[in-house]
Amino acid sequence: GAMQQYEDLGSMASGSENVEQSLVAEDGRARLLLLGAKRSGKTSILQVVFQKMSPHETLFLDPTNALEITDISNNAFVQLKIIDFPGGYDFSEKKVVDALFKRDSAIVFVIDQQDGQDDLAAIEHFLDVARLAHGVNPKLAIDVLIHKVEAEADSYHDDLNERVRHIRQRMMEHLREERLNVHPTFHLTSIYDHTIFEAFSKIVQKRIPQMSQLENLLSGLVNNCRVEKAYVFDVISKVSCPE
């Protein structure tokens, strides 16, 4: 997909007509809003899944300092507009907030499980986003990627499980305290294995209008050919739909 970079934007509050037009354009594409704290790995995820970048190359990516909009048109089914926000983005322009959250959008919030000292700041940012989104569109889907889950040793595995449980528990406790009727879907992800592709497959599946027809076709294939499982893959992004 072609990436449109708005280098002069700084923040959406500066009011770029090009950005607003791109956000509200009736182009038939669902919006995925990629949010999280600074250095949480948002842009690396975008590059690895949709731009075929090697995970090791992402070490050299610059931080996202301006809004970036990526159009994904890999095939007739995967039609997306992914909006990559600078880390800790401050939503202060109501008109743009409404444009983002009122339409067919979904939030993908990335939290770096390795960055223990900044958990609180990341969770506060998540709550800010959840409040705004819920206030504009209570039905908006929110997926949380607990990211950089790269277990390399058994001794690390127990610590990792505890960290993940702690992050998830605190996020849900804060949502209950604020009485926000928000039910995020959690995924454990790493760009160094299949988990990021599995997570984005589940996220993208919810944004495919023809998903039920695809599932029926795959089900028919499984039954008629007597195979155990069938998948449809987007060859470029490796996003899949299983049956």
Side-chain angles (χ1 to χ4, degrees), residues 42-70:
K42 305 182 308 306
T43 306
S44 297
I45 290 169
L46 177 60
Q47 292 294 326
V48 168
V49 176
F50 293 103
Q51 304 290 345
K52 300 183 80 170
M53 182 178 282
S54 160
H56 297 287
E57 288 181 79
T58 63
L59 297 171
F60 306 104
L61 286 173
D62 292 326
T64 303
N65 295 316
L67 193 74
E68 293 181 353
I69 301 179
T70 305

Side-chain angles (χ1 to χ4, degrees), residues 77 201-202 205-206 208-223 230-232 240-243:
F77 299 110
S201 293
K202 292 173 182 175
Q205 283 168 27
K206 292 185 282 188
I208 297 177
Q210 309 91 339
M211 190 62 204
S212 59
Q213 291 97 317
L214 269 177
E215 288 176 334
N216 289 336
L217 286 169
L218 286 171
S219 181
L221 180 66
V222 167
N223 293 331
Y231 294 84
V232 173
S240 64
C241 304
E243 170 50 51

Side-chain angles (χ1 to χ4, degrees), residues 45-216:
I45 290 169
L46 177 60
Q47 292 294 326
V48 168
V49 176
F50 293 103
Q51 304 290 345
K52 300 183 80 170
M53 182 178 282
S54 160
H56 297 287
E57 288 181 79
T58 63
L59 297 171
F60 306 104
L61 286 173
D62 292 326
T64 303
N65 295 316
L67 193 74
E68 293 181 353
I69 301 179
T70 305
D71 288 321
I72 306 295
S73 303
N74 294 345
N75 55 57
F77 299 110
V78 182
Q79 296 280 326
L80 301 169
K81 185 164 283 189
I82 301 180
I83 304 161
D84 185 10
F85 290 84
Y89 188 79
D90 178 22
F91 291 90
S92 54
E93 181 66 49
K94 186 179 187 306
K95 183 167 64 170
V96 178
V97 168
D98 288 348
L100 283 169
F101 296 142
K102 275 187 176 176
R103 57 181 305 125
D104 182 20
S105 300
I107 291 169
V108 180
F109 191 92
V110 182
I111 183 165
D112 176 2
Q113 69 82 23
Q114 295 179 356
D115 197 5
Q117 293 184 349
D118 283 340
D119 272 1
L120 191 57
I123 292 171
E124 281 297 326
H125 182 43
F126 169 75
L127 288 171
D128 288 341
V129 171
R131 281 187 214 102
L132 276 171
H134 188 264
V136 174
N137 182 0
K139 294 182 179 178
L140 197 69
I142 300 179
D143 286 81
V144 175
L145 306 187
I146 300 180
H147 193 49
K148 304 184 185 178
V149 178
E150 290 131 24
E152 297 175 354
D154 291 339
S155 58
Y156 177 66
H157 194 68
D158 291 338
D159 292 339
L160 172 62
N161 287 339
E162 179 59 27
R163 293 265 312 124
V164 167
R165 187 195 65 77
H166 175 72
I167 291 169
R168 182 171 178 165
Q169 182 177 321
R170 288 189 65 178
M171 293 177 99
M172 294 307 297
E173 282 175 355
H174 283 292
L175 288 173
R176 283 193 292 269
E177 285 171 9
E178 302 231 358
R179 297 183 179 177
L180 285 173
N181 189 24
V182 174
H183 304 283
T185 302
F186 289 89
H187 311 266
L188 307 186
T189 57
S190 167
I191 58 172
Y192 292 98
D193 60 29
H194 64 282
T195 53
I196 193 62
F197 297 101
E198 282 188 5
F200 261 87
S201 293
K202 292 173 182 175
I203 292 165
V204 171
Q205 283 168 27
K206 292 185 282 188
R207 315 254 66 80
I208 297 177
Q210 309 91 339
M211 190 62 204
S212 59
Q213 291 97 317
L214 269 177
E215 288 176 334
N216 289 336

